[in-house]
Amino acid sequence: MNGEFTYQEIMGQGESWSKSLAEAENQFKKIIAHLKKPWSEVIFTGCGSTHYLSLTAAARWQSFTQMRARGIPGSEIWLYPDTILPSKDPLLVAVSRSGSTTETIKAIHVYKERFNLDPIVISCYPDSEMMLTTNYPFLATGATEKSVAQTRSFSSMLLMTQYLMVKTASDEIKFVNQLLQLPNAFNILVKKYENIIKHLSKEQKFQKFVFLGSGINYGLACEAMLKMKEMSLSISEAFHFMEFRHGPMSMVADDTLIIGLLNDVTQKDELKVLNEMKAFGATTLVIAESAKDINADYIFELNSGIDPILRGPLYLPSLQLFAFYRAIEKGLNPDNPKNLSAFVELSD
Amino acid sequence: MNGEFTYQEIMGQGESWSKSLAEAENQFKKIIAHLKKPWSEVIFTGCGSTHYLSLTAAARWQSFTQMRARGIPGSEIWLYPDTILPSKDPLLVAVSRSGSTTETIKAIHVYKERFNLDPIVISCYPDSEMMLTTNYPFLATGATEKSVAQTRSFSSMLLMTQYLMVKTASDEIKFVNQLLQLPNAFNILVKKYENIIKHLSKEQKFQKFVFLGSGINYGLACEAMLKMKEMSLSISEAFHFMEFRHGPMSMVADDTLIIGLLNDVTQKDELKVLNEMKAFGATTLVIAESAKDINADYIFELNSGIDPILRGPLYLPSLQLFAFYRAIEKGLNPDNPKNLSAFVELSD
């Protein structure tokens, strides 16, 4: 069957999250002292999906901990460190499913040479090259994948960054408890929306997909854009909500589905953008904690009761399923996207 | 004639740059003390084109001055300051053609309230609302525009950020002299390439345009992407060179033109990406200082002799002309893009 592995990996995310959380406490004990050093800032890095993970993790980290944090592609740290790295010690958090991505490994080496420090490395494979570069590895357990496109690995590693964030900055047990509620919230969500998504993916008029997200959700919008591209070979883009009005919306027409990842506090301003796009002919779909006060063509309600800063992994499953079903609809195999391989190794 | 104003504004960039530079020294005297304060970092901000200007200006600034610098969309500072702003005093440099963009004005107010500081404001209009928020305005003279899509205003305001960078960090007269050489280099460039670009814009097989740039050139690649979208309503995207291999390249086929904005030092690694895309069927076009050692379908050689950190404005004119001629070819009017207005004012 086309997409057999991808489907299992998407639908098994709740289970992966539970496994990763069960192993987190023990691993955290070995890295807590390192995490709590007085860093000048935290730089998350990765490539492709894990770069987008870095963007959303950094925004969450700074907002939750009040420590400065940024997400930067591994290749940019490797090739252009002077445009990025601060003069005083930053903490590098390198994220890679395989632990073998050449650019992220090169970024780690630039970091180690410049600052004589070890990064935190988050990965799904314990013995990979990247894990061996540091004394501070942090594993997302049970999140390895057979598919090329990252789904459960992405959400599990995002969850691990949130675990580190919560445990580094707060003694409040309620935050860890909220992380533990995510698997159950996931199960409710996919049961509720899978059939609607399947139906939506058959809609032939949608030829362009735009994912909008801001603040802590911008990186998630980018990841959803990438899933749609990789699995279904559709035209898809991601922008900050307001940025979309500064030019990119020139392309909006009847063939456009705009997907908004709403933030609780700012959704009024975000919905204004979506309503304007409806006037240009677009169809709108939103993902939000609550459907209250929302006017859109499709609404996916998370209804999680979980703090916005920890709720991130729940935005993704519906959008992963959407990309998956659209690929199936087009006769493509989402397990093996065109032109791609499971990880990118550069030759010298 | 379709695109009359846009054409004049693109072709008149050399003249705009000369005018802006002629007025720079006198304006700089009034803001130098402010610029040289011990800022924790420099945050460039804008919306749409000026956000992309902020990205390329920040990378240049940090690389040249060794002061930490970032580019952030105005709306993100306004709506999500806690994900971005540091605890200690940063310098905000707000860039806006009109000086009237609501989100950037709101970002300035967030900054002023939080830090009790004035930003530097770079604009083309002296008496706009934004200019009145600060004691430190910096004007790009003779760069106002009648068209919606920014061309000479973009390059002139980028030039002004480079002027501030050079004068803040270095006493070496050679850097200012290099800025003064840009108008002449511009004139040579457009004369050399306009006919080739006109010819290239008629090529019907190109349906997708991808702009790749990294480090100091990433923001320029984004701006070129936006020009192609706004003026010619074509599918266009921008990525960091290496990031493109992590998923987005799944869409590459015979209908794809990949445009690479090469960096002198890293062009070997950047060309590897382009050559791989040729194997997937893409056509490649590069812009580089020298054609030496470069293998691509089309090569635009800058041949400027100007330091890479100051050469940025020269990457744009060819790409602006390309978007312009493609719009003309499609029967569109580049002066008035679909769905857009000259600046974005939000209602409350």
Side-chain angles (χ1 to χ4, degrees), chain A residues 204-221:
Chain A
Q204 295 305 314
K205 80 165 177 173
F206 301 141
Q207 292 300 316
K208 296 199 293 261
F209 300 86
V210 177
F211 298 86
L212 301 181
S214 284
I216 57 173
N217 288 344
Y218 175 64
L220 298 178

Side-chain angles (χ1 to χ4, degrees), chain A residues 40-41 46-49 51-52 58-60 62-64 66 68-70 73-76 78-87 101 103 208 213-216 218 225-226 229-230 232-237 239-243 245-253 263 266 268-270 272 276 280 337-341 343-348, chain B residues 40-41 46-49 51-52 58-60 62-64 66 68-70 73-76 78-87 101 103 208 213-216 218 225-226 229-230 232-237 239-243 245-253 263 266 268-270 272 276 280 337-341 343-348:
Chain A
S40 67
E41 69 178 304
C47 296
S49 280
H51 166 50
Y52 300 141
R60 284 157 208 274
Q62 172 147 352
S63 183
F64 190 82
Q66 280 99 58
R68 199 199 308 246
R70 279 185 298 163
S75 58
E76 297 288 297
W78 158 40
L79 292 168
Y80 312 98
D82 294 337
T83 66
I84 296 154
L85 294 176
S87 51
T101 305
E103 294 144 62
K208 296 199 293 261
S214 284
I216 57 173
Y218 175 64
M225 167 280 287
L226 191 60
K229 228 187 261 290
E230 287 178 327
S232 83
L233 301 181
S234 302
I235 295 159
S236 70
E237 295 189 276
F239 291 94
H240 299 93
F241 265 96
M242 304 288 149
E243 280 293 296
R245 299 176 78 255
H246 292 276
M249 72 174 179
S250 59
M251 299 283 286
V252 170
N263 284 299
T266 49
K268 206 179 131 212
D269 287 297
E270 295 170 342
K272 273 188 202 164
E276 191 172 333
F280 294 144
K338 189 169 151 268
N339 298 353
L340 304 183
S341 59
F343 66 94
V344 174
E345 203 167 10
L346 300 183
S347 59
D348 278 331
Chain B
S40 66
E41 68 179 304
C47 297
S49 279
H51 167 49
Y52 300 141
R60 284 158 208 274
Q62 171 147 353
S63 184
F64 190 83
Q66 280 99 58
R68 200 199 307 246
R70 281 185 296 165
S75 58
E76 297 288 295
W78 158 40
L79 292 168
Y80 312 97
D82 294 338
T83 65
I84 297 154
L85 294 176
S87 51
T101 305
E103 294 144 63
K208 296 199 294 262
S214 284
I216 57 173
Y218 175 64
M225 168 280 286
L226 191 62
K229 228 188 261 292
E230 287 178 327
S232 83
L233 300 181
S234 303
I235 296 159
S236 70
E237 295 188 276
F239 291 94
H240 299 93
F241 265 96
M242 303 287 150
E243 279 294 294
R245 300 176 77 253
H246 292 275
M249 72 174 179
S250 58
M251 299 283 287
V252 170
N263 283 298
T266 49
K268 207 179 131 212
D269 288 297
E270 295 170 342
K272 273 188 201 167
E276 191 173 334
F280 295 144
K338 190 169 150 269
N339 299 351
L340 304 183
S341 59
F343 67 95
V344 174
E345 201 166 12
L346 300 182
S347 59
D348 278 329

Side-chain angles (χ1 to χ4, degrees), chain B residues 142-312:
Chain B
T144 58
E145 287 167 338
K146 291 200 171 123
S147 311
V148 169
Q150 303 193 20
T151 54
R152 77 176 176 196
S153 65
F154 183 98
S155 60
S156 301
M157 292 191 290
L158 172 59
L159 185 60
M160 290 297 93
T161 64
Q162 297 192 163
Y163 183 90
L164 293 181
M165 172 182 90
V166 163
K167 297 282 283 187
T168 303
S170 169
D171 288 334
E172 286 190 63
I173 191 75
K174 75 165 179 186
F175 292 116
V176 174
N177 281 343
Q178 290 199 358
L179 292 177
L180 292 167
Q181 288 165 29
L182 284 166
N184 187 45
F186 165 85
N187 289 331
I188 294 169
L189 211 56
V190 289
K191 251 183 225 145
K192 187 168 170 192
Y193 289 112
E194 184 175 6
N195 276 330
I196 300 170
I197 293 161
K198 207 167 169 174
H199 176 79
L200 201 59
S201 73
K202 294 184 200 293
E203 181 58 78
Q204 294 305 314
K205 80 166 177 172
F206 300 141
Q207 293 300 315
K208 296 199 294 262
F209 300 87
V210 177
F211 298 86
L212 301 181
S214 284
I216 57 173
N217 288 344
Y218 175 64
L220 298 177
C222 293
E223 169 62 6
M225 168 280 286
L226 191 62
K227 290 294 88 91
M228 186 57 89
K229 228 188 261 292
E230 287 178 327
M231 288 193 217
S232 83
L233 300 181
S234 303
I235 296 159
S236 70
E237 295 188 276
F239 291 94
H240 299 93
F241 265 96
M242 303 287 150
E243 279 294 294
F244 190 61
R245 300 176 77 253
H246 292 275
M249 72 174 179
S250 58
M251 299 283 287
V252 170
D254 294 352
D255 64 353
T256 313
L257 178 66
I258 316 249
I259 296 117
L261 284 63
L262 298 185
N263 283 298
D264 294 9
V265 182
T266 49
Q267 72 174 39
K268 207 179 131 212
D269 288 297
E270 295 170 342
L271 285 166
K272 273 188 201 167
V273 177
L274 295 176
N275 285 332
E276 191 173 334
M277 297 313 124
K278 274 176 81 79
F280 295 144
T283 305
T284 57
L285 183 163
V286 302
I287 305 183
E289 176 65 7
S290 157
K292 192 170 168 284
D293 300 329
I294 291 179
N295 171 24
D297 295 312
Y298 299 90
I299 303 174
F300 292 177
E301 197 178 29
L302 299 178
N303 202 20
S304 68
I306 294 169
D307 193 285
I309 210 92
L310 304 179
R311 199 195 291 148

Side-chain angles (χ1 to χ4, degrees), chain B residues 306-323:
Chain B
I306 294 169
D307 193 285
I309 210 92
L310 304 179
R311 199 195 291 148
L314 294 178
Y315 282 84
L316 292 167
S318 309
L319 301 177
Q320 294 161 345
L321 275 176
F322 191 22

